[in-house]
Amino acid sequence: MLSWKENLTPVSSEFDDIYFSPENGLKETEHVFIQGNDLPERWKNSNIQNSFSILELGFGTGLNFFTTWKEYLEHEDRFRLHFLSIEKFPLRKEEIAKALSVFPELKEIADEFLNSYQDLIPGMNYFRFSKGRIHLNLFLGDVSDALRETSGKADAIFLDGFAPSKNPEMWQIETLQNLKTVCKIGTTVSTFTVARMVRDSLSAVGFTLEKRPGFGRKREMLTGKIEEDTFNHSNILPNDPGTAELIPQEKPWCVRNYPKTKIETAAIIGAGIAGSALAYSLSQRGIQVTLIDPSGIANEASGIPSAISHPHLTKIPGTISSFTLRAFRYALQFLSSFANENEFKPCGLFHGVTEEMNSDRFRNGIANHRLSEEIVSWVSKLQDQPNVETDDPTKIRSAPLTEDIGEGVFFPKGFWTQPGAIAKKCAEQPGVEFIQAAVTEVIRSTPTSPGDSEHSSWKLKLQNNDREVYADSIIFCNSHSIGELLAPLFDGEEPFPIKKVRGQLLVLKETKTSSEMKHILCAEHYLTPSIHGEHVLGSTFDEFDLDRRPRSKDTEQLLEYLRNKYPSLKWNQDSVLSERVGFRAQTPDRFPVLGPVFDPKAFAETYKEIELPRNRSKKYPRLEPIPGLYVFGGLGSRGILSSFLGAEILASLILGEPAPVESSLLESLHPARFLYRKVRK
C-alpha cells in the first residue's frame, strides 16, 4: 500500500518510509548512485569489454533504473547495460507511472518500460529495452533468495532499500554477505546511509569504504570498492581473476565460467528455431555468427505450420514450471515487437482437465505458483462466460464449443506462432551468415590463414564445400543429430543422451463453425483456431516407430480424438488438407540441455567419489568445460517456448554476462547433469 505526499512523493505503508527524496528524487539518484559509483567517468574512460552490470537492492518506483538508463544513452554505442534489481513488494504499473510523473525528462524511458511491465511472476523476470542494448533482470522476492540465485558479476552495486531503522533485515551481515557471489575485483558500491550496521556488513563482504557528502539534508553517504588486496586468494577461481566466489563443495561443475579472451565469432550448427534464435541473440551483441544447416532454415521439426505455447504448470513449483513460466513471459515480450500478426498471435489458450492434468493439479498449481489472472485462471466451465466479447485478455470470449468443453485453466496470452517464418527472420539479421551445408568434422584448432581470428579455437569442415569455418565458440543446436558430431570429440562417448521422438499432426480445412473459434484448445492434443484459413491438430508421440512417412492410423487416432472431444465440429477424413511428420529431440528428463560441455572421461575421473560420505567435507578440483564448446538442444515439444529465453541464457553464458534466470535453473539445464548422475551411481 502506498500513500502520497503533496508533491507526489510515494510513501510505503509497509515500512513507513519514502521511496525517494521529496526534495528531488532524480537528483538524489544521480548524486548517490550514478556519481557514487563514478559511472560517468568509468563509462567514458574505462575499457569495458562487452557489457557493464549493475546490481540494485530495492527497485521501488524504478527511479534508479530509469536515471541510469538516461545516463547510459550517452554511452550506448560502446557497451550493453545489464541491470539486475531485487524487489520484494513490487508496485503496480499505475503507481510507478504516478510516482514518475513529476520527472518529465524520464517520460519516454518510463513509457517504454511500462509497456512491458506485465505478466510478472515470482522470481526472475527478464526484459530487454532500447533496441536490445539494455537488459533488466527484475527479481521479485526476498533479497537473500535473490542473491543466492543471481548468476553473474556486478561492476557496481546500488543499495537502496528502505532505511536500516525501518527495514533492518535487508542490511544485516547475514543478508549482505551473499553479495560476495556477485562481486569481483573493482566492483563498487554506494548507498545513502552510513549506519554502523551497513558499514559492518559491507566491510565483511570485502569493500574498502569511504564516506562522501550526502544529498540534500543527509550529511553523509557511503561508497566502497573491492580492492585486490582484500581478497582471500585461496578462494579465487582459476579462470576469473576478478571473482571472490568460493568453489562449492556440491556440484562444482555448476560454477560459472567467464571468457578469458574477447569473443568475436560463433558458429551454430543447426538452423531450427533454437539455432536461429541463438544467432539473433548473439548478433544483437555484436558477435559475427555463421549458421550452418544442410536442410535450410527451419525445414525440419521447426517447419511445422503452426506451433502453440503456454506455461507447463506443476502442482508445486519445480524446474519445468519455473522455466516454462519465465520462457513464456519473455517469448511474449520478444515476439510482440519482433513478429508480425501473420507470424504470432496471443489469442488465449484453454487447457481442459485430463487424466494427467487433473483439476487438483491445476488449482494447486495456480495457488502455489502465486500467479495472477494476467497469466492464468481457473475456469469451471467455458459456458460460464458464453457471450463475453471484450478486450480484457483475462476473459474468455464467446466460442462455438461451449457444450463440448468442461473445466480447466485459461492462459489469456497463450499464443500460436509460425516457427519457420520467425526462424528465418532471426537468421536474416546483420552479422549472421547462413551456409546450407552439412558439417562433417569438428576440430579444435588455432587457424593461421589470413583473415581468421587469431584466437579462434574451432574449425568446421563442411560437406561438398571447400570452405572451412573458424570460430571462437561453437554451439550444437542440431536437434537429435547432436551426438553424431559431438561424440567423435570424446572417442565416441556422448556427454548426454538425446533421443528422437516422432510426431504427426494434421492440417484441417476451416468450416463455418470452426471459423468462430477464438482460442487454442488443449487437452490430450491441441487444436488451433483458424490461422490463414486452416486449423492445426497435433500431435502424436512415438519414440519407437520413426517412420518419416505419415501413417493412416495416426490420422485416424487424431480424428477420433476430435469426434469424441469436440463433436460439434463434425470434421472427418475429407477435412484433412495435409499430414505432417516431424521429430522432436528429447532428453530422458524431458528438459533441455543448455550450456557448456565437459569431456565425459575427465568428468568421471575428477568427480568419481563426489557422493561418498567420507568426501563430504572436501573441496573438489575445478574441472573446466571444453573452452568455447556449447550445446542447446533436447527442447522436446516446447521448442518455440524454450528457444527465445534459452538463446538469451546461452548468449549470457558464452559472453560472461549475468544470466536472465536463477542459478538453480542453470543447474537444471546444465548438460553435465547426466554425467553427474552417472558418477552418483
Side-chain angles (χ1 to χ4, degrees), residues 369-406:
H369 287 84
R370 295 177 288 143
L371 300 176
S372 70
E373 287 190 348
E374 197 175 31
I375 296 176
V376 63
S377 58
W378 172 257
V379 180
S380 58
K381 281 194 175 181
L382 194 59
Q383 57 262 41
D384 284 353
Q385 301 168 358
N387 295 305
V388 175
E389 288 291 348
T390 175
D391 291 332
D392 184 347
T394 66
K395 301 298 184 184
I396 297 179
R397 302 173 70 189
S398 62
L401 305 175
T402 53
E403 297 302 321
D404 296 346
I405 301 171

Side-chain angles (χ1 to χ4, degrees), residues 180-192:
K180 286 182 179 179
T181 62
V182 300
C183 288
K184 59 184 179 181
I185 297 170
T187 297
T188 60
V189 66
S190 66
T191 182
F192 60 87

